[in-house]
C-alpha cells in the first residue's frame, strides 16, 4: 500500500468551531492512525483478519469509552471529541472504527447507563483498557430490522437464569470476552444480560467470506441452556428502548466516522488527479474530474456541519433518535457515493489495494446496512415528520 499522505480537508474552516481539547484529541487520533493503522490495514483486510495488535493503541488514544467518566477508566470527553475520534479511526478503516464503536457505545454504554455500581466497577475499567473486549447481540437470524420479534429468551431457574437462542452478524464476537445480549424474559419483556466467554453452552463461531469489513471479526452468538448468574442482568432499563438507546450512541459515532472514510477517498482522488497526466495534462484539469471532486468536497462539508450540530445537541442532551437517524443515513450515503466516484477518478489503479478507496467502498456497504438499514432510517424520519409509522 502507498504511504499515508492524508491531509484533512476543512473547506468551511470548521476547525474554528472546535475547542483546544477537540483539536488535541483529533490530532492525536489522526497521527496514531497514520502510525499504527495505515501501514498494516490493507494486509489484514486482504487476509480477512482483525488486527488484534492495535487494541492497546486504541485503548491508549481513548477510543474505548471516550465519553465514559474517568472514574470508570473512560476518557471523560464530550460528544464532539467522541465524534472526532470515530472520524479519524474510520479514515483508517471502518472495521477498526466498528470495533471501537461496539466497545464504547454498545458494551460500555449499556453497562454504564443500565448497570449497577458493582457491574460498572467490575467491567468498565477492563473494557476501557482493552484488557477485555465486548460485543453486542441484538440481531437474530430471523429478526434484523425488526428486533422486537426476537426469540432469544431467558427463564428464571432459581439462583441463575437459563439463556437460549442465537444472534447473527455480531461484530467482535469471535474474540470478545463478554457479550451484551438482548433477550426476552418469561413475560416477553426485553432485557440486557452480560454473558461471559467460558460460560457453558455459549459459543461464538466466526462468519467467513465477507467482501466487506474484512478487517473486522464478525460472528454468531449461540446460547444452549447457558447459566447466567442473576448478578449479570442489566436492571436499569428494559424493553426495546434499552438496546435502541445504545444504538443512538453508536449511530451518532457512525455519522462522524463516515466523514472520515469520505475524506480519505476525496484526499486520495484529489492527489491522484493532480499527478495523473493524460492527453498531455493532469486529469484534475478536466471538467469531468473537477465536477466529481467539487461535488465531493461540497458533500463532505455539508456532512461535517450536520455532525457538528448533532454533537452540540448531544452535548446538551437534546438530540432525538430521528435526528441521529438523519445524520447516520445522510453521511453514510454521502461517503459511499464519494468512494464510488473516487474509485473512478483513479481508473484501473482504483481497484487495487495500493490505495484505500476500494476497501472503504466495500466497508461502507456494511455501514449503510448495520445499525439500522438505509431504508429503516428513512422510515424513522418519515414517521417523525408525519406522525405515522410506515414500518408495518
Ligand atoms: C458486518 C456487519 C456487522 C454487524 N454487527 C452487528 C452487531 O455487532 N450487533 C448486532 O446486533 N447486529 C449487527 N449487525 C446486523 C445489522 O444491524 C443488520 O444486518 C441490520 O439491522 C439489517 O438486518 P438484516 O440484515 O436482517 O436485514 P433485514 O431486516 O432482513 O432487511 C432486508 C432489507 O429489507 C428492508 N426492510 C426491512 N424492513 C422493512 C420495512 N418495514 N420497510 C421497508 N423495507 C424494509 C431493509 O431495509 C433491507 O434493505 C451487523 C451486520 C453486518 C453486515
Amino acid at each position: 500500500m502507498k504511504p499515508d499522505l492524508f491531509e484533512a480537508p476543512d473547506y468551511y474552516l470548521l476547525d474554528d468551531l472546535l475547542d483546544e481539547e477537540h483539536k488535541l484529541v483529533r490530532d492525536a487520533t489522526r497521527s496514531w492512525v497514520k502510525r499504527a493503522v495505515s501501514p498494516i490495514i490493507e494486509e489484514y483486510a486482504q487476509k480477512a483478519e482483525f488486527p488484534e495488535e492495535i487494541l492497546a493503541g486504541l485503548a491508549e488514544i481513548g477510543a474505548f469509552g471516550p465519553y465514559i467518566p474517568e472514574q470508570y477508566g473512560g476518557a471523560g470527553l464530550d460528544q464532539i471529541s467522541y465524534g472526532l475520534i470515530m472520524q479519524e479511526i474510520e479514515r483508517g478503516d471502518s472495521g477498526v472504527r466498528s470495533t471501537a464503536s461496539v466497545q464504547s457505545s454498545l458494551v460500555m454504554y449499556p453497562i454504564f447507563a443500565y448497570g449497577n455500581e458493582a457491574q460498572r466497577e467490575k467491567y468498565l475499567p477492563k473494557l476501557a483498557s482493552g484488557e477485555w473486549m465486548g460485543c453486542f447481540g441484538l440481531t437474530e437470524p430471523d429478526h434484523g430490522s425488526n428486533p422486537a420479534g426476537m426469540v432469544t429468551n431467558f427463564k428464571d431457574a432459581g439462583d441463575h437464569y437459563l439463556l437460549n437462542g442465537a444472534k447473527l452478524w455480531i461484530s467482535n464476537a469471535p474474540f470478545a470476552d463478554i457479550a451484551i445480549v438482548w433477550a426476552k424474559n418469561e413475560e416477553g419483556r426485553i432485557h440486557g444480560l452480560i454473558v461471559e466467554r467460558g460460560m457453558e453452552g455459549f459459543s461464538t463461531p466466526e462468519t467467513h467470506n465477507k467482501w466487506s469489513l474484512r478487517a473486522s471479526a464478525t460472528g454468531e452468538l449461540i446460547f444452549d441452556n447457558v447459566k447466567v448468574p442473576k448478578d449479570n442482568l442489566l436492571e436499569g432499563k428494559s424493553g426495546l428502548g434499552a438496546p435502541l438507546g445504545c444504538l443512538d450512541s453508536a449511530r451518532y459515532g457512525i455519522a462522524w466516522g463516515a466523514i472520515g472514510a469520505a475524506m480519505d477517498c476525496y484526499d486520495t482522488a484529489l492527489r491522484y488527479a493532480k499527478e495523473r497526466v493524460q492527453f498531455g495534462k493532469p486529469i484534475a484539469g478536466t471538467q469531468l474530474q473537477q465536477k466529481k471532486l467539487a461535488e465531493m468536497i461540497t458533500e463532505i462539508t455539508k456532512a461535517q456541519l450536520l455532525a457538528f450540530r448533532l454533537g452540540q445537541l448531544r452535548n446538551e442532551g437534546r438530540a432525538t433518535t430521528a435526528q441521529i437517524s438523519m445524520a447516520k443515513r445522510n453521511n453514510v450515503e454521502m461517503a459511499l457515493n464519494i468512494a464510488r466516484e473516487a474509485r473512478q477518478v483513479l481508473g484501473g489503479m482504483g481497484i487495487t489495494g495500493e490505495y484505500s478507496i476500494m476497501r472503504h467502498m466495500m466497508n461502507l456497504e456494511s455501514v449503510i446496512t448495520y445499525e439500522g438499514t438505509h431504508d429503516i432510517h428513512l422510515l424513522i424520519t418519515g414517521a417523525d415528520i408525519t406522525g405515522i409509522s410506515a414500518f408495518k
Side-chain angles (χ1 to χ4, degrees):
M1 194 177 160
K2 298 261 184 216
D4 184 353
L5 303 172
F6 177 68
E7 285 172 47
D10 184 13
Y11 203 71
Y12 260 41
L13 311 181
L14 287 162
D15 260 24
D16 292 356
L17 301 178
L18 304 179
D19 66 25
E20 284 314 304
E21 184 171 73
H22 296 146
K23 286 185 217 166
L24 268 173
V25 166
R26 193 261 324 265
D27 294 348
T29 312
R30 186 171 292 167
S31 56
W32 176 79
V33 168
K34 275 203 179 192
R35 212 169 52 242
V37 178
S38 301
I40 60 157
I41 196 64
E42 180 63 29
E43 196 189 327
Y44 276 98
Q46 292 284 1
K47 5 182 233 199
E49 264 178 39
F50 174 71
E52 290 196 29
E53 67 192 74
I54 65 171
L55 287 176
L58 278 167
E60 242 166 66
I61 59 164
F64 295 154
Y67 55 86
I68 299 292
E70 287 170 289
Q71 79 179 100
Y72 300 113
L77 297 167
D78 77 348
Q79 290 290 314
I80 290 177
S81 287
Y82 164 47
L84 288 164
I85 291 173
M86 295 298 116
Q87 171 187 290
E88 294 304 319
I89 296 177
E90 192 146 1
R91 206 280 298 172
D93 189 76
S94 305
V96 178
R97 197 270 308 137
S98 301
T99 292
S101 287
V102 168
Q103 181 86 340
S104 300
S105 291
L106 302 182
V107 179
M108 295 178 72
Y109 173 77
I111 293 173
F112 173 68
Y114 314 144
N116 58 37
E117 198 51 32
Q119 290 166 337
R120 289 189 197 116
E121 281 169 13
K122 177 175 176 190
Y123 295 104
L124 292 178
K126 286 200 165 76
L127 292 163
S129 70
E131 185 183 339
W132 282 353
M133 293 301 297
C135 65
F136 174 91
L138 181 65
T139 306
E140 299 189 351
D142 293 329
H143 301 94
S145 298
N146 178 24
M150 70 171 66
V151 293
T152 298
N153 64 87
F154 63 99
K155 291 188 171 61
D156 194 323
D159 64 345
H160 60 269
Y161 298 117
L162 264 190
L163 177 66
N164 280 289
K167 301 286 177 178
L168 186 67
W169 292 119
I170 308 305
S171 303
N172 297 357
F175 59 83
D177 301 285
I178 66 166
I180 303 294
V181 178
W182 300 96
K184 285 181 178 164
N185 67 7
E186 283 144 292
E187 286 78 53
R189 184 137 185 102
I190 295 171
H191 286 267
L193 293 163
I194 306 170
V195 179
E196 299 186 14
R197 184 171 297 282
M199 287 180 177
E200 211 182 316
F202 174 42
S203 57
T204 60
E206 183 157 2
T207 301
H208 295 289
N209 295 334
K210 290 180 298 166
W211 282 111
S212 174
L213 290 188
R214 288 171 63 80
S216 159
T218 314
E220 294 169 52
L221 305 178
I222 297 173
F223 315 104
D224 180 9
N225 278 323
V226 181
K227 284 184 186 171
V228 181
K230 289 199 161 167
D231 284 350
N232 287 25
L233 182 78
L234 295 174
E235 287 166 326
K237 190 161 178 174
S238 62
L240 192 61
L244 294 186
C246 307
L247 292 176
D248 270 359
S249 176
R251 290 165 178 171
Y252 165 72
I254 294 172
W256 281 91
I259 297 171
M263 281 177 166
D264 198 48
C265 294
Y266 164 77
D267 180 61
T268 304
L270 179 62
R271 186 169 303 107
Y272 189 90
K274 289 202 267 193
E275 286 168 4
R276 177 71 176 166
V277 174
Q278 287 295 287
F279 299 98
K281 69 172 185 179
I283 59 169
T286 67
Q287 289 186 353
L288 286 176
Q289 304 317 314
Q290 284 192 7
K291 175 176 188 289
K292 293 192 181 88
L293 293 164
E295 284 177 352
M296 285 180 209
I297 192 62
T298 307
E299 291 307 314
I300 288 171
T301 304
K302 285 153 64 179
Q304 285 175 313
L305 290 165
L306 205 56
F308 183 82
R309 177 62 184 144
L310 190 60
Q312 287 181 321
L313 293 173
R314 294 264 306 164
N315 277 341
E316 295 163 10
R318 291 200 293 148
T320 65
T321 295
Q323 287 168 337
I324 294 167
S325 281
M326 181 185 280
K328 191 266 185 183
R329 183 176 188 277
N330 181 79
N331 290 10
V332 177
E333 182 178 42
M334 169 286 296
L336 192 48
N337 289 341
I338 285 179
R340 288 171 179 154
E341 291 290 296
R343 215 286 304 148
Q344 292 192 54
V345 173
L346 268 69
M349 286 311 290
I351 70 152
T352 73
E354 288 292 296
Y355 296 89
S356 55
I357 295 176
M358 190 84 177
R359 179 167 43 80
H360 283 306
M361 188 170 113
M362 303 294 269
N363 283 342
L364 289 162
E365 289 291 346
S366 285
V367 181
I368 205 164
T369 287
Y370 71 18
E371 306 265 359
T373 69
H374 201 56
D375 297 329
I376 293 296
H377 287 299
L378 185 88
L379 297 179
I380 291 173
T381 306
D384 193 49
I385 57 177
T386 62
I388 307 165
S389 167
F391 288 94
K392 292 178 195 164

